[in-house]
Amino acid sequence: MEKLYDVIIIGGGPAGLTAALYAGRAKMKTLLFEGEAFGGQIALTTEVENYPGGALNITGPGLVARMAEQAEHFGVELKKENVTDVDFSSKDKKVTTSKGEYFAKSVIVATGANPRKLGVPGEDVLTGKGVSYCATCDGAFFEELPIYVIGGGDTAVEEAVFLAKFGRKVYIVHRRDELRAARSIQDKALNTPNIEVIWDSVVEEISGDGLVERLVLKNVKTGERTEILADEDDGTFGVFVLVGYIPANELLKDKIALDEQGYVPAGEDMKTNVPGVFVAGDLRAKKLRQVVTATSDGALAAIAAEAYVEHEY
Ligand code: NAP
């Protein structure tokens, strides 16, 4: 038998890293997998204004780096391996990665969510060539260029304000006549002089030869199409697609119960419908997806896993 862990945590964002910290402090033999880089969604965020104590001088990557260090300090093993399969059918759960097979008495799934795509022609081929899903990562490439931000939620509107520091002009393209973003976030955007909202509009197509050069918008009320072309001097412009997230549940289909949107239903005890398997963070069906709720889930999931290993395994 391979080494048997008390708990394997899948996902290295705030939920997974907090679960790891609590499991490590509880002296559980703990292994955490993160695919490429630690951090999850928050690692794509420049400022963490709404995590208590995190307002000043803390970036998303800075915060998760400290969380990872703290978990390691308590004996947690962190591995950068892509989990490719899980098998929860036996008492000992099996987690398969690109490098091998691992076994644990309990599993905490904290894989989070990924950016949703528009699904329009040109989007895939021009990703990284003007189309982006991460303002923090790519904003600086669009210094003094026009930028189109697609979406009307907290992410789109907040990142539009961030992008307005780079772009000559930032257009928020929203499919309705009212933003979904919180009032405080909307106010920041509406008070930024180089931000304008294009209402009732959706993207129909993005095109360009190597770089984004053309964007076709359709007004959903009038049916009118507008073709936006790059200025000759600019040559290109930015299109930031920030239209929400889809749960990262690929590993779980037919393995644990999911709701209609693909999130994992679980209450305060973080229990899924499979004994010994717990969920934490953005993947869980819940109202508020924030670092503060992710870390809370992580702590609760670790405590629940510890109780399971102690009393039910
Ligand atoms: P979201 O709240 O789901 O908003 C997605 C936005 O994209 C909505 O405005 C939606 O339009 C639009 N949209 C969705 N699909 C579209 C499509 N195919 N074409 C065009 N537009 C489309 O996602 P989010 O803004 O990424 O936020 C996710 C969660 O994180 C939320 O709970 C949010 O509160 C939270 N968050 C919080 C903060 C903060 O508190 N500082 C910052 C970022 C995110 P409709 O409005 O018409 O549905």
Side-chain angles (χ1 to χ4, degrees), residues 31-285:
L31 171 62
L32 180 147
F33 289 113
E34 170 67 19
E36 281 141 31
F38 287 98
Q41 295 285 341
I42 195 67
L44 307 179
T45 307
T46 17
E47 288 177 60
V48 192
E49 276 191 345
N50 52 8
Y51 188 64
L56 299 171
N57 302 325
I58 189 92
T59 61
L63 181 63
V64 283
R66 278 158 65 165
M67 288 182 183
E69 202 180 313
Q70 200 177 0
E72 273 188 307
H73 177 74
F74 289 102
V76 172
E77 267 181 71
L78 305 178
K79 281 189 195 279
K80 285 187 186 167
E81 290 178 29
N82 256 322
V83 176
T84 53
D85 196 18
V86 290
D87 183 351
F88 300 148
S89 60
S90 307
K91 187 177 172 205
D92 291 337
K93 276 98 187 129
K94 182 164 88 173
V95 175
T96 307
T97 74
S98 40
K99 299 216 176 117
E101 289 181 347
Y102 301 85
F103 294 85
K105 297 176 185 173
S106 66
V107 171
I108 297 172
V109 190
T111 46
N114 295 313
R116 178 183 287 133
K117 294 185 172 193
L118 294 172
V120 298
E123 181 181 14
D124 280 344
V125 64
L126 290 166
T127 293
K129 296 170 178 140
V131 175
S132 169
Y133 301 88
C134 175
T136 313
C137 317
D138 299 328
F141 295 127
F142 299 93
E143 191 83 51
E144 285 307 313
L145 292 172
I147 295 174
Y148 292 80
V149 172
I150 320 302
D154 286 342
T155 305
V157 178
E158 201 165 69
E159 297 300 10
V161 174
F162 170 72
L163 289 166
K165 294 178 195 159
F166 302 99
R168 174 163 86 230
K169 175 102 191 211
V170 174
Y171 301 89
I172 298 174
V173 178
H174 185 40
R175 63 184 178 183
R176 293 187 291 134
D177 58 6
E178 191 187 7
L179 295 170
R180 176 181 294 277
R183 190 81 248 168
S184 59
I185 296 176
Q186 286 193 34
D187 287 349
K188 270 199 223 165
L190 301 174
N191 289 322
T192 304
N194 61 335
I195 292 182
E196 185 183 322
V197 185
I198 301 177
W199 300 105
D200 300 314
S201 296
V202 294
V203 175
E204 278 210 330
E205 192 188 337
I206 309 166
S207 63
D209 184 13
L211 284 177
V212 169
E213 292 166 344
R214 177 175 161 269
L215 178 67
V216 181
L217 300 183
K218 182 182 158 191
N219 184 303
V220 292
K221 285 194 176 151
T222 64
E224 189 190 343
R225 283 187 173 73
T226 309
E227 193 181 39
I228 295 156
L229 296 172
D231 269 12
E232 232 170 78
D233 290 346
D234 296 338
T236 188
F237 54 85
V239 178
F240 284 80
V241 178
L242 302 171
V243 295
Y245 298 93
I246 44 176
N249 61 15
E250 297 79 13
L251 290 171
L252 304 174
K253 290 187 178 142
D254 305 321
K255 310 264 168 83
I256 61 175
L258 303 174
D259 70 10
E260 318 79 67
Q261 276 99 45
Y263 291 96
V264 178
E268 275 283 279
D269 56 12
M270 306 296 139
K271 283 184 180 169
T272 69
N273 66 323
V274 178
V277 179
F278 304 86
V279 63
D282 284 3
L283 180 63
R284 184 167 78 93

